Amino acid sequence: MTENAQQQPSAPDTELPTQYAPADVEGPLYERWVERGYFEADEKSDKPSYTIVIPPPNVTGSLHLGHAFEHTLIDALTRRKRMQGYETLWQPGMDHAGIATQNVVERELGKEGKSRHDLGREAFVERVWQWKAESGGQISGQMRRLGDGVAWSRERFTMDEGLSQAVQTIFKRLYDDELIYRAERIINWCPRCLTAISDIEVEYQDDDGELVSLKYGEGDETVVVATTRAETMLGDTAVAVHPDDERYKHLVGKRIKLPLTDRTIPVVADEHVDPEFGTGAVKVTPAHDPNDFEIGQRHDLPAITVMDEHAVITVHGPFQGLDRFEARSAIVAALRAEGRIVAEKRPYVHSVGHCSRCKTTIEPRLSMQWWVKVGPLAKAAGDAVREGKVKIHPQEMEKRYFDWVDNLHDWCISRQLWWGHRIPVFYGPNGEVVCVGPDEEPPTGEGWRQDTDVLDTWFSSGLWPFSTLGWPEQTESLAKFYPNSVLVTGYDILFFWVARMMMFGLYAMDGTPPFHTIALHGMVRDQFGKKMSKSFGNAVNPLDWMDKYGSDALRFTLARGANPGVDVPIGEDWVQGSRNFANKIWNATRFALMNGATVDGPLPDASAMSATDRWILSRLNSVVAEVDALYEDYQFAKLSDALFHFAWDEVFDWYVELSKTTFQAGGEPAEVSKRVLGEVLDVTLKLLHPVVPFVTETLWTTLTGGESIVIAEWPKDSGFRDTAAEQEIETLQSVITEVRRFRADQGLQPGQRVPARLTLDGTALAPHEAAIRQLLRLQPEGESFTATATLPISGAEVALDLSGTIDVAAERKRLAKDLAAAEKEKSQATAKLGNEAFLAKAPDNVVDKIRGRLAKAEEDIARIQAQLDRLPEA
């Protein structure tokens, strides 16, 4: 632990300003770090590598609290590893965000009275690139504000030339391996964005709808079905019942009349139907429901599409041209007129999928799309975790991972957009289908055309851990930095982004997974645990808090709430508290500099140190070991809390205060303590640096004269422990704490001096008399000293003369009143808890509350009685 301090030059004479002003410090410091190349990574280095990729934010995005939280954790990991001597790469970049970006640019065009179709595909894509150059990437500047130590020279974009080559390469390989195919399936369709969207882009919410029960067939051949989407009945091609349901066995295989149409549809038996739910019969609409599609496949049913891409009805004269919701009302009215409505329930609250981009209700729709056959890929992704090649942290999240990858459906990868990686498939005039790799010439000539769809954004971001390192080329960066050391991401995208990276990484990199560990964190919520949302009025712009309190304060607050896999509550008061912590670090370091704390030379021998010096060094080494263990377990909240309490409680509130007496006395003990204080601050600032980089850089460089704490050596546990010194200082702390409590109980002001006699002979406290008197504001006893209160503590005795400092009679009267109130509270609580009739009727929470009142009353009685016993007679 002392080796690095020995290498540092003497601390400069520069004085710190009296107050820490983050706004004056953070921007220039960050630019200096970048200019000096501290965050860059060298693939030719012989250091061990440590790699983390940034979960690429959308090019349309701006920094929100979720980003700030995740980036704080990643930055802390990479800063520590850099200090530990690793060749550290934090890979930055952005996602092209197909739908979101296209929507932004289309809105801009709308202001000009144009649509993308007015421009045409080529000109529209050019317009998006122009927008990206001018307005995209706002988040990059905000990442700098936060202090992200990313390798900016390696920044990538999911649509840049290298990543485009990677996308085309893996598409071609998957296609040739028959793991990509084109087929008609049910997809999530957004009638506003006019594209298929992935499951993660669907947000489910409870909507007020209607549940309508309809009567199909006539006479004895009647079946009642229920639906929340009456408009889809125009596309029904069967009614399904369970094979063992006796109520409908006579109907299976028969055809019944479909109302409002001139069609009849069969009744089929299918085990998918739950006979206990509703009437036990369900309508089957294969073109507009994923479960119905599967039933249709099993029974060779036709699939009739009744809506176009805008969700407008396309069949059956009376309803043709109506929007789906207009058609719903019209169809229910028509069925009611025919006497086909058996029951109606309004409102009927049920979960409905909405497009996460535009909030439009999603329409399940049969569509010709491109798919990835995920079976073998998902099995490999599951096996990698089962076999221990990849660890999920916290481990309890493994079950959710397996539940997902073990039950994956084939993945729809085509999107009906213009912005994105265009599918590299060409169709010929005679039905030819040609998939083109990156080094192949596409077919040309009359009648040849390229597929108009682009790939799902998750397709390209699934390649992120290796495409950003130059794959498919076998680059030095790929050899050095793949696989990634750890992926830090939210549990909410475990199933989508993480699973896709696992599948693609194992497939493309010959069975080598993309990372060794998946460290999952929760979502940021407000201080009451509620999800943050503009609609809730509780959304926070992290830049506002950074402007007000500094980036370190926000970072420390976020890290201190980061328990693995658990959501993180945050409130402004907590950020303010972290700002106070930064100020405390600043003021303590100013004190140390003003009193000559130094990092020059080796630490003095333990025999030359006081018990106070040995105690703080023993505690310091314990904290180094504790913080290291917590980092390895991704316990950011616990390590931040350990550092907070060590720095504030032990270093600043105890060691610094105890050192004041030593410094005032001067001599060799003071010189030893100056070196110890310098060492403690040197190591403490390094331990804090990964989480609060700006204030620690300013203080450490001023204290040590070193170039930068970013490249300083991470502290090591020297193994020094002194349990005797720790016990001695714990005893000293208990004496000071107990006397302080007594002073407060007697109403004495903190700075009020009181005559006292200390009897410390024969105890470990004897060397600390000067410190005890200074910290407790105790004067030596004079000739007229009268011990009006005596406190026996830890084998010592502290006698105080309170005459003239408090009105004993008034104090006794006040305490007697408080004691009577506490005894009354105890009596009432005891009576209630002894009442059997009350206990039999009262809810558990009420009984628990009364038990708590009783316990509190008993504590108060004991405390007040002790105060009375210590007071002199009036």
Side-chain angles (χ1 to χ4, degrees), residues 317-339:
F319 311 109
Q320 193 167 357
L322 294 180
D323 169 83
R324 55 183 163 164
F325 300 120
E326 296 172 334
R328 182 175 301 171
S329 299
I331 287 170
V332 169
L335 289 167
R336 190 182 298 113
E338 286 193 4

Side-chain angles (χ1 to χ4, degrees), residues 45-230:
S45 167
D46 58 2
K47 296 178 183 177
S49 65
Y50 187 81
T51 316
I52 296 181
V53 294
I54 193 171
N58 287 354
V59 68
T60 59
S62 59
L63 192 74
H64 56 64
L65 271 178
H67 289 127
F69 171 56
E70 186 167 80
H71 290 201
T72 294
L73 305 187
I74 299 175
D75 198 39
L77 290 172
T78 52
R79 284 179 182 269
R80 172 175 173 262
K81 285 297 183 181
R82 189 177 293 112
M83 294 172 76
Q84 286 183 313
Y86 285 78
E87 194 61 38
T88 303
L89 170 61
W90 183 9
Q91 173 68 54
M94 286 183 291
D95 192 282
H96 65 279
I99 295 176
T101 306
Q102 180 156 318
N103 281 350
V104 167
V105 178
E106 286 196 88
R107 281 196 297 269
E108 293 293 318
L109 284 174
K111 295 174 185 177
E112 303 170 16
K114 298 178 181 177
S115 74
R116 60 177 162 132
H117 299 285
D118 294 322
L119 270 66
R121 183 169 193 141
E122 189 174 331
F124 175 77
V125 170
E126 186 178 330
R127 178 71 175 261
V128 180
W129 278 109
Q130 179 185 337
W131 174 88
K132 191 253 181 190
E134 295 172 357
S135 306
Q138 175 187 357
I139 200 169
S140 296
Q142 297 166 340
M143 288 165 59
R144 293 171 181 265
R145 280 288 313 277
L146 190 65
D148 285 6
V150 299
W152 286 112
S153 70
R154 293 172 174 263
E155 187 174 10
R156 302 303 298 269
F157 180 54
T158 51
M159 285 280 287
D160 69 30
E161 185 177 348
L163 268 67
S164 294
Q165 183 183 20
V167 167
Q168 197 171 351
T169 298
I170 201 161
F171 187 99
K172 171 69 171 174
R173 290 187 186 179
L174 289 165
Y175 182 87
D176 289 347
D177 287 345
E178 298 183 348
L179 292 173
I180 281 182
Y181 64 94
R182 191 168 182 247
E184 269 197 321
R185 296 282 189 277
I186 294 286
I187 45 90
N188 301 308
W189 181 264
C190 176
R192 158 62 183 80
C193 298
L194 298 181
T195 182
I197 64 174
S198 65
D199 291 337
I200 196 170
E201 291 161 327
V202 179
E203 292 179 348
Y204 287 90
Q205 65 185 48
D206 286 342
D207 286 357
D208 285 346
E210 60 182 3
L211 181 66
V212 183
S213 297
L214 314 175
K215 183 170 63 175
Y216 287 11
E218 304 289 351
D220 293 338
E221 297 182 351
T222 296
V223 178
V224 175
V225 297
T227 181
T228 58
R229 301 163 66 215

Side-chain angles (χ1 to χ4, degrees), residues 746-768:
Q746 307 312 314
L748 296 175
Q749 296 299 313
Q752 189 172 352
R753 294 196 168 275
V754 178
R757 180 175 63 240
L758 304 184
T759 306
L760 308 176
D761 293 344
T763 73
L765 298 172
H768 302 288

Side-chain angles (χ1 to χ4, degrees), residues 168 172 422-429 432-451:
Q168 197 171 351
K172 171 69 171 174
R422 194 164 175 182
I423 289 176
V425 172
F426 292 77
Y427 305 105
E432 301 95 333
V433 179
V434 177
C435 180
V436 177
D439 301 321
E440 300 172 350
E441 290 294 325
T444 57
E446 187 176 348
W448 281 94
R449 60 182 178 84
Q450 186 175 357
D451 197 296

Side-chain angles (χ1 to χ4, degrees), residues 280-294:
V282 297
K283 59 192 287 297
V284 181
T285 321
H288 293 278
D289 183 275
N291 292 323
D292 292 4
F293 177 79
E294 298 296 332

Side-chain angles (χ1 to χ4, degrees), residues 530-551:
K530 191 174 182 180
K531 181 180 178 181
M532 285 192 171
S533 165
K534 290 181 181 178
S535 61
F536 294 154
N538 63 350
V540 173
N541 183 345
L543 295 173
D544 292 341
W545 281 352
M546 286 193 277
D547 289 342
K548 195 170 182 179
Y549 303 110
S551 298

